[in-house]
Amino acid sequence: MPEIPSSAIESSRERPRIGVYVCHCGTNIAGIVDVRAIVEFAAKLPGVVVSRDYKYMCSDPGQALIQQDIAEHHLNRVIVASCSPLLHEATFRRVLSRAGLNAFLLQMVNIREHVSWVHLNQREATEKTKDLVRAAVRRVSLHKPLQKRRVSINPHVLVVGGGIAGIHAALTLAEAGKQVYLVEREPTIGGHMAKFDKTFPTLDCAACILTPKMTAVGSHPRIHLWTYSEVVRVEGYVGNYKVKVRRKPRYVIEDLCLGCQECVTACVYKEAKNPDEFNLGLSKRKPVYLPFPQAVPQKVVIDPQTCIQFKSGKCKKTCVEACGDRKAIDFTQKETIEDIEVGTIILATGFKTFDPVRNPYYGYGRYANVYTSLEVERLINASGPTAGEIVLRDGGQPKAVGIIHCVGSRDANTNRWCSKVCCMYSLKLAHLIKERTGAEVYNFYIDMRTPGKGYEEFYDRLLDEGVHFVRGRVAEVSDWATHPSEKGRLVIRVEDTLAAFVRRIPVDMVVLSVGMEPQPDAQDVRRLFNISCSTEGWFLERHPKLAPVSTFTEGVYIAGACQGPKDIPDSVAQAGAAAAEAMALIDAQFVELEPYTAFISEDQCSGCKTCIPLCPYQAISYMEEKKKAAINEVLCKGCGTCVAGCPSGSIQQNFFEDEEIFEEIEGVLAYA
Amino acid sequence: MPEKPKVAFYWCASCGGCEEAVVDLAEAILDVIAAVDIVFWPVALDFKRKDVEAMPEGSILVSFVNGAIRTSEQAEMAHLLRSKSKLLVALGACAHLGGIPGLANLFDRESILKAVYLEAPSTVNPEGSLPTTHHKDDGHSVELPGFYNTVQALNQVVEVDYSVPGCPPTPRIFRTALQTLLGDELPAKGTVLAPDCALCDECPRKDSKPEQLSIVEFKRPQQLLIDEQKCLLAQGLLCMGPATRAGCEALCVRGNMPCSGCCGPTSRVKDQGAKILSSLASLVAGKEAAEIDRILATIPDPVGTFYRYSLPASLLHRKQLDRASLHEAAASK
Ligand SMILES: Cc1cc2nc3c(=O)[nH]c(=O)nc-3n(C[C@H](O)[C@H](O)[C@H](O)COP(=O)(O)OP(=O)(O)OC[C@H]3O[C@@H](n4cnc5c(N)ncnc54)[C@H](O)[C@@H]3O)c2cc1C
Ligand code: SF4
Ligand code: SF4
Ligand code: SF4
């Protein structure tokens, strides 16, 4: 930690000479707070030398005003009463630095968010502002000069999740020369996008645009691709994370497997018997399998749950025979733990689709011909279970198909949010189904939401193609026929809100456009990486507009659908942004951390050990020889937990020392 | 022969234990007597208030006052001794922090007088008479000390130079304090004359305290066979050691009893009870609200445990007074 110049410490011991600056924020503050009254009030407070107001304190002239006063009036403390410190603390700290004062001799009073925006009564707002300014004056007198800490940044990056977002982030970073560890839970990367046949609105083939990126990841010299793996532990801090990754055994030695799949053909199971996860159970696979033809890495996996060798130990192991000299199959493989060190982390763990069993009135799981949209993506896919032909579960081909939008979205009973992509993919599916089967296709929607480049045009095109659109939330899907034309079919009951009557539409296939949900383990992952989730469970960005891929944990970024529903273009854009944020840190080579760390005075500590387990960042340890506790300043994030917990008050926190807080409280309460 | 420094002792709301502590100095008391001239000590020597009133201002070097302030007479004596003394020292937990009498701050005067003079099973008071400050009988009238609503520590009534902690201060604490006061270099005003570190520091059981404590039940000493070597908190006993000033050499803990907190908090802590609470809260094993409640319910008498000696001096200070008592309290000031 850089030393604080002794002149700065001297200046802090001098009698406080405080400058108070009250901002109008246009009319934001001045419209409700009597700014003049505050200026006059502050001028009389002990230690205050200058008290002024200005229309926009944060503007260049506003800043210059403070800087000039510091020089002219030899100010050694500054108070700016304006907006939230989140917005402009950095701005005003820079002003102090430029004027030769230690930046931490500043105190901000938030009289916009905390006062003018939440009060209607001018007198009350003005009185409250006075209390807050008085508190700040009393607090700032105790401020000590502090110095930011610098920590170096390890240039390696961890990307978690190998969907399109993770893939794009990993490639961008690797292309820029960074070492990347890409950890994917499944045996292959690709995520949801790998399951699609075409993508909206351009209808380009998903595999054609995704496969090259996937193989690029697989063969990139700077990407360590660890599939079938999960992060189990994260320690450390920005620039210096220590991560443990568990690599599950695939019972196939990756370096030896060529992906020829001769073992798959040779497996004692002549017929595939087990539900194929990649095809969502619409087809079968063998115990040894490649998830899908373009899987990356092109390495087979053995599923111990279904493999005879694992179940009975008595298999003829025809697969091993077929593999022959390559000797890639290893039934004794054990899971391994890899320890890596990285400086930054990008989370791209994606989403899950809504489980329509929760909406029983749509008959999913009850009627064979009710499908989820994701299943239909597989049905339509040329490399899917039916080679792209739409064959129903009962073997027939549909003559009429109903696509129900917003299943598990925009619904107070399930999820309130709009999943953003369903209207567009429903249009895509409508087009593809019509193209492949010539069936009549009905879209049941609440509102059509097609904002995006080329999206509305795509909708127009579908209208021209003769797809039917019925505005209304579907009440029920049933097989209850009230008319001979409905016999043996599925009947969709819906209130057509444009025509204003209830309709019954018989179809042969129902597609449920299921919405996007946070991953079921989002909370565990959030805790693992020490970030936050929104109430819905999406990973929370630091700022919805200005820091959309940053999190509240320095050095951890989020990209893609784990942050909220979004389509591929947005996921890729975020992935690029996250990669850029990581690179900005890496290229700066160091990061400055706030100096709000806690410290233990050794002669005061009784060694009671209360604090040690309290620290969420494992920053506190017990020194056996001295029988006292000590805080590792680099690990301390300044959360303050130990400070509150120490029963003998032997831990103090920079910028939040007890006296500073008590003075502030007393200042607020000391109304005349 | 130069004049010996004059020393006074006085006794306010306390049990008398601090007086004992002075006597407990054993042979050392002779040294004290040899070194100083005791000019006022109602418990042992026959001096009266008027004798003190007659002394010149500042003529006493040190006055040791033990006990909390709970009556008007005690407040008057505190002011009197303050004016006659160079140094005024709060001796023992009651003068230092309010002490056990300070727990009366959980009630107010009316309810205390009612309980003692009217309701207690051992009380015989057919006329239902209550203490008053003025009493007339047979044409004679007497003035009696008033009983305050609130018990206060000495420094909440007069300026105090130093405090000697403990209930009562151990002979060692008292001796060291005396040496300091009679010595040449006086510590900063307001200092508590004992180490400024918590008790665990000098506890013989410290090494046995685990780094990760997780308490599933708080126990009282009679509920278990106490391991004589192991940290008491680790055995579920509510030891106040981590939040209590050291200096006593962990006498209670050596006697197999948990520290009850008599030496008060360290200089850095404003509220001993709140501090031990926030540290204990983090040791409670439960995660669910119901389980946490169950564990916390095993703490007997939380205020009496966490604030046994320090309620008046704490941020809590007292139970809120109702409006009528508040007015009265303001009027009596
Ligand atoms: C039916 C349907 C059709 C769609 N069609 C289109 C379309 O045509 N055009 C379009 O633009 N968008 C479409 N979308 C949206 C598109 O699927 C998403 O925008 C995109 O998949 C988001 O990519 P992602 O990488 O963020 O997440 P995902 O694709 O979900 O990838 C996340 C990856 O992370 C892995 N993972 C998860 N948790 C962990 C963990 N803890 N550790 C390691 N790995 C983990 C997962 O296994 C997965 O591989 C469609 C969505 C649906 C549901
Ligand atoms: S303030 Fe204390 S508990 Fe919080 S991170 Fe720092 S050392 Fe750990
Ligand atoms: S809680 Fe306080 S006294 Fe106890 S070990 Fe930690 S710093 Fe020392
Ligand atoms: S908690 Fe009590 S018994 Fe345990 S080490 Fe501290 S003082 Fe000793």
Side-chain angles (χ1 to χ4, degrees), chain A residues 608, chain B residues 199-200 203-206 209 230-234 239-242 250 253 259:
Chain A
C608 76
Chain B
L199 185 64
C200 297
C203 176
R205 307 187 188 210
K206 177 173 168 183
K209 190 172 182 183
K230 201 166 148 200
C231 166
L232 294 164
L233 204 52
C239 182
M240 288 283 289
V253 178
C259 166

Side-chain angles (χ1 to χ4, degrees), chain B residues 256-275:
Chain B
N256 227 12
M257 284 299 278
C259 166
S260 61
C262 72
C263 282
T266 63
S267 66
R268 286 134 355 237
V269 171
K270 282 195 201 280
D271 193 310
Q272 186 184 15
K275 264 304 189 188

Side-chain angles (χ1 to χ4, degrees), chain A residues 160-166 183-186 188-193 196 198-201 229-231 348-351 353 373-374 377 421 425 428-429 455 514-516 519 521 525 559-562 566-569 571:
Chain A
V160 185
I164 183 59
V183 175
E184 164 61 53
R185 178 155 62 193
E186 301 296 326
T188 171
I189 56 171
H192 282 93
M193 187 177 171
F196 310 154
K198 299 273 160 58
T199 55
F200 65 72
S229 303
E230 267 174 311
V231 173
T349 51
F351 67 100
T353 47
S373 47
L374 202 55
E377 292 283 356
V421 298
Y425 77 58
K428 170 183 77 176
L429 294 177
Y455 290 13
V514 286
M516 292 168 103
Q519 291 279 18
D521 63 349
V525 175
C562 59
K566 58 180 63 65
D567 57 15
I568 295 165
S571 299

